[in-house]
Amino acid sequence: MSDVIHGKCLCGKVTFDVGSAGALGTCHCTRCTRWTGQGATVVVAPASGFKITGGKELVKKYHEEKFADRYFCSNCGSGIYADGGETYYVSAGVLKDVALMPAFHCQVAYKAPWDEIGGSAPQFAEYPPH
């Protein structure tokens, strides 16, 4: 997908663009569940195409030692993205008009017992094979 996707946090003070979005998927690991309240549905995108367009001073970082630093709006608390180096995992819920269908569910072996997965996207016990 080559079109720019626009996003904003709940309060609208942090705005951003995601260029060249890749797959949309959900991680069901314990960390992502704690971050979002349920599995984290994200758009996987190259870091080079991500740009904060407003409210940069409100974006704060939570250092995640075992995965990737997570960035959020310090005003409303909306999770914006996790920094995986060359890849960002952008929270799908803060994006506008995402024209992607779920491509995967990962870390399914760790999902909460009440987290029922629907749809036909492939499910991986751990991370998808590369």
Side-chain angles (χ1 to χ4, degrees):
M1 181 176 195
S2 60
D3 295 337
V4 172
I5 300 172
H6 304 286
K8 65 180 179 178
C9 64
L10 180 62
C11 70
K13 293 182 178 183
V14 175
T15 58
F16 57 92
D17 292 337
V18 178
S20 185
L24 178 127
T26 301
C27 180
H28 297 271
C29 77
T30 304
R31 289 185 309 273
C32 285
T33 298
R34 287 183 181 147
W35 175 251
T36 65
Q38 190 164 345
T41 301
V42 298
V43 170
V44 181
S48 61
F50 183 90
K51 180 180 180 185
I52 295 178
T53 57
K56 188 173 186 173
E57 70 283 357
L58 294 172
V59 177
K60 301 298 179 202
K61 174 174 76 171
Y62 170 72
H63 178 63
E64 172 67 60
E65 290 186 31
K66 294 186 178 186
F67 176 65
D69 290 337
R70 297 169 190 259
Y71 292 82
F72 62 96
C73 173
S74 62
N75 188 59
C76 66
S78 292
I80 300 169
Y81 70 99
D83 182 348
E86 293 182 16
T87 302
Y88 280 3
Y89 303 92
V90 184
S91 297
V94 294
L95 295 172
K96 181 180 178 183
D97 300 328
V98 177
L100 298 170
M101 294 304 294
F104 66 88
H105 291 271
C106 67
Q107 301 287 41
V108 173
Y110 307 101
K111 73 178 188 64
W114 43 260
D115 185 2
E116 293 189 25
I117 300 171
S120 60
Q123 297 182 25
F124 301 94
E126 300 285 335
Y127 287 107
H130 296 286

